[in-house]
Amino acid sequence: MPGIGRDRRGAGARVMDLVLFSHGRFPERARVLGCSAVLVDLEQSDKADRQAGFDTQISRNSIVDLRLVRQQTDLSVICRVDRQRSIDKVLISQIIEAGADELLIAMVEEPDELEAVMEFVGNEIKVGIMIETVRAVAACKELASLSPERVFLGLNDLWIERHTNSRFDALIDGTADAVAEACGTIAF
C-alpha cells in the first residue's frame, strides 16, 4: 500500500503501525484494536489558529491525561508536543516522569530543530517527528538522516498548507511515498 512505511524487522514489506490517540480514556482498547502505541496529544501552541475553519480535532490534553494513559496500558506511550515547547525543560521533565516512552515533535521543518531536541533530551526519551509542512517534506531526507524514532506524516496541516481538495491527497499524489522512501527503515 502506498505511503505506509517499511517494516523495522528488515523484511522490506510495507506495514501500517496503528496508534490510538487518547485523552486518558479507553487506552486499554488499543491492544484489542491492534495498536502498537497510545498517543497523548499536548500539541496546542498556534494549532487552533492554524486549523481554524477546518474539520480537525484540537486536543486539550494535559500531563494528568498522560499519567492516566500510562497507568492504564503497557503499550508504548507517545506524547506529542509542539516544537516551541519541545525544549521546555520543565515540560519535558514532566512528560518523562509521567511515563511517556517517546516524544513526538510536531511541525518540525529543519534538521537543526530536531538536533536541538535530541541534544536536549539525550537518552532520556525517544524522539519522533511529524512532517506536516511543504518545507518539512522537502527536508525529509535530511531529517531522517538524524534517525528519529519515527516519522509521522501530518495529513491535516499538510492539506491546509497545500490548499488541496482533500487531506488524503498526500497519500495519492506520491508525497507519502516520497517521505516513506526518505525514511528508509525508520518507522513511518
Side-chain angles (χ1 to χ4, degrees), residues 41-60 80 82 84-85 106-107 132 156-157 159-160:
D41 189 6
L42 299 185
E43 179 193 10
Q44 296 167 358
S45 296
D46 302 326
K47 191 167 185 173
D49 291 336
R50 196 173 65 240
Q51 294 184 358
F54 292 91
D55 183 22
T56 62
Q57 180 179 340
I58 310 294
S59 75
R60 300 288 178 234
R80 176 166 68 176
D82 44 89
Q84 296 90 331
R85 297 179 2 170
M107 303 299 287
E132 46 194 340
N156 287 338
D157 282 307
W159 161 53
I160 292 166

Side-chain angles (χ1 to χ4, degrees), residues 6 14 131 136-145 151 175-186 188:
R6 300 210 182 273
R14 293 189 182 267
I131 301 237
V137 168
C140 67
K141 190 169 185 107
E142 292 81 15
L143 288 163
S145 74
V151 172
T175 302
D177 287 327
V179 174
E181 185 65 32
C183 290
T185 60
I186 296 170
F188 175 71

Side-chain angles (χ1 to χ4, degrees), residues 20 22-31 38 40 64-77 98-99:
L20 174 70
S22 179
H23 58 290
R25 296 174 45 190
F26 313 117
E28 71 281 359
R29 299 282 322 255
R31 186 178 305 286
V38 178
V40 177
V64 172
D65 298 304
L66 178 59
R67 283 191 184 102
L68 187 58
V69 166
R70 176 73 292 160
Q71 292 168 1
Q72 295 181 54
T73 187
D74 62 348
L75 292 175
S76 181
V77 175

Side-chain angles (χ1 to χ4, degrees), residues 101-123:
D101 299 298
E102 181 181 333
L103 193 61
L104 184 65
I105 310 303
M107 303 299 287
V108 171
E109 293 187 315
E110 298 289 334
D112 60 336
E113 293 171 325
L114 177 55
E115 285 177 316
V117 173
M118 292 175 116
E119 184 177 312
F120 179 72
V121 301
N123 293 324

Side-chain angles (χ1 to χ4, degrees), residues 124-146:
E124 294 206 41
I125 191 168
K126 297 172 186 171
V127 177
I129 60 169
M130 295 195 64
I131 301 237
E132 46 194 340
T133 67
V134 171
R135 196 166 158 192
V137 168
C140 67
K141 190 169 185 107
E142 292 81 15
L143 288 163
S145 74
L146 297 171

